[in-house]
Amino acid sequence: LILVMATQAKTTLISLVGKPGSGKGTYGALLASRYRNLTFLSVGDVLRDSAKRNETLRRVLTSGKLVDDTIVNEAVIESLQEENLQQLKAQHSIDSDAKIFNDGGEHIILDGFPRTDAQTKLLSKWPSSLEPALAIYFDVPDDIVITKLLGRRKCTICGGNFNINGVEQDDWDMPPLLPKNGCKEKCDWDIHWEKRDDDTADIIKERMQVFRQETEPVLESWSDSNRLVTFVPYKGVKEMDRLAGVLENYFHKHSLT
């Protein structure tokens, strides 16, 4: 997940990284609803939408393998165009008038890029003002992310993303992520809630292996340059205040705001 913060002088990128099922998309969407000048963009959602019209891309996504880096790079750049961002912003509700930065800029939460060394190199060819400044890594054990992945559901009626599986073990207390007042469209959970095609035990195993092979080296690069912060979300979405605090404290400490 990358948080793009536009200022008059530069656009700062902050990447949130984690295993499949670690909650990157959920935290990104919640951050966007928390601040008026944040817009959430999921690269995974962009690719899955494209896969509806591209059978080759659909097969790659459902296999658990990563999509070609050039295709992902082009999808990110296209999605960052002003007209596309305005459409995204219109799709998400804002729960607060607060702004995470008071610089007058519009900031973007981008989930899912870069996640390979090759994507990092492609990103380096973007304007220098887009160079990433920080990565926050969601450190979640394999058994917990697997449980959460197997519980992911999307409502075909209201479009909401939910999770029917909770985790209570050791220091971890992550309740199921369900609609607070029921689905607005009065959907039937058994009929209208669907799993993603790639949320199966075999494909999850493949995706975890891909993460270790492709993304862990990217984390090492962040760490080697002293730009990696590790965040352990023991209580899932109940950690949002702490996550926001870590982010804001880093900005103040390094004079990014």
Side-chain angles (χ1 to χ4, degrees), residues 2-3 5 10-15 123 129-136 222 225-229 250-251 254 256:
I2 292 178
L3 178 59
M5 302 174 296
K10 61 182 179 179
T11 300
T12 305
L13 308 185
I14 298 177
S15 177
L123 181 61
S129 59
L130 293 173
E131 182 177 356
L134 166 71
I136 297 180
W222 287 108
S225 58
N226 296 315
R227 296 183 295 170
L228 180 66
V229 172
Y250 186 92
F251 297 154
H254 295 273
L256 293 178

Side-chain angles (χ1 to χ4, degrees), residues 1 9 31 67 74 77-78 88 90 128 133 150 154-155 162 171 185 195 208 212-213 218 221 233 252 254:
L1 176 77
L31 280 172
V67 177
E74 292 174 352
I77 293 174
E78 180 180 355
L88 278 172
S128 59
L150 291 173
K154 186 177 182 68
C155 179
F162 309 113
D171 294 327
E185 303 298 333
K195 293 178 63 176
M208 298 292 279
R212 281 186 278 271
Q213 292 175 343
V218 176
S221 176
H252 288 296
H254 295 273

Side-chain angles (χ1 to χ4, degrees), residues 50-256:
S50 298
K52 296 175 183 177
R53 302 176 294 279
N54 186 319
E55 179 62 21
T56 300
L57 179 57
R58 189 192 71 80
R59 286 198 297 267
V60 173
L61 289 175
T62 56
S63 72
K65 295 181 172 60
L66 293 180
V67 177
D68 179 81
D69 295 307
T70 302
I71 293 176
V72 177
N73 185 63
E74 292 174 352
V76 172
I77 293 174
E78 180 180 355
S79 298
L80 290 175
Q81 300 301 311
E82 180 64 26
E83 61 272 18
N84 294 327
L85 289 177
Q86 291 303 318
Q87 291 178 11
L88 278 172
K89 196 170 185 65
Q91 294 172 8
H92 297 284
S93 61
I94 308 298
D95 299 332
S96 170
D97 287 330
K99 292 186 177 183
I100 194 168
F101 311 111
N102 292 314
D103 57 9
E106 184 65 28
H107 313 299
I108 304 160
I109 301 173
L110 177 59
D111 171 17
F113 188 88
R115 62 175 59 184
T116 69
D117 183 59
Q119 289 177 10
T120 301
K121 291 177 180 177
L122 286 169
L123 181 61
S124 69
K125 297 179 181 179
W126 288 18
S128 59
S129 59
L130 293 173
E131 182 177 356
L134 166 71
I136 297 180
Y137 169 52
F138 291 100
D139 187 7
V140 184
D142 287 7
D143 58 333
I144 291 179
V145 298
I146 290 172
T147 296
K148 299 302 286 185
L149 283 169
L150 291 173
R152 292 199 299 195
R153 298 292 187 274
K154 186 177 182 68
C155 179
T156 59
I157 302 299
C158 72
N161 290 292
F162 309 113
N163 198 303
I164 63 174
N165 287 349
V167 174
E168 291 186 19
Q169 67 180 61
D170 300 325
D171 294 327
W172 295 86
D173 180 15
M174 306 174 77
L177 185 60
L178 304 173
K180 293 181 180 179
N181 300 311
C183 179
K184 295 180 180 179
E185 303 298 333
K186 307 298 182 183
C187 64
D188 186 320
W189 295 8
D190 294 326
I191 298 175
H192 300 118
W193 284 21
E194 294 183 346
K195 293 178 63 176
R196 276 174 37 177
D197 291 341
D198 56 348
D199 281 347
T200 66
D202 289 342
I203 295 177
I204 288 171
K205 182 179 179 180
E206 171 72 20
R207 293 171 65 201
M208 298 292 279
Q209 183 176 351
V210 168
F211 175 83
R212 281 186 278 271
Q213 292 175 343
E214 301 286 351
T215 307
E216 284 188 354
V218 176
L219 287 175
E220 292 177 7
S221 176
W222 287 108
S223 180
D224 290 344
S225 58
N226 296 315
R227 296 183 295 170
L228 180 66
V229 172
T230 297
F231 184 83
V232 184
Y234 288 110
K235 299 185 183 301
V237 296
K238 291 185 286 187
E239 299 276 20
M240 286 305 302
D241 287 345
R242 187 164 69 91
L243 174 60
V246 168
L247 206 58
E248 293 174 6
N249 287 340
Y250 186 92
F251 297 154
H252 288 296
K253 181 178 179 180
H254 295 273
S255 299
L256 293 178

Side-chain angles (χ1 to χ4, degrees), residues 29-42:
L30 289 174
L31 280 172
S33 68
R34 194 182 185 99
Y35 301 103
R36 182 156 295 280
N37 56 344
L38 291 180
T39 302
F40 176 66
L41 171 64
S42 166

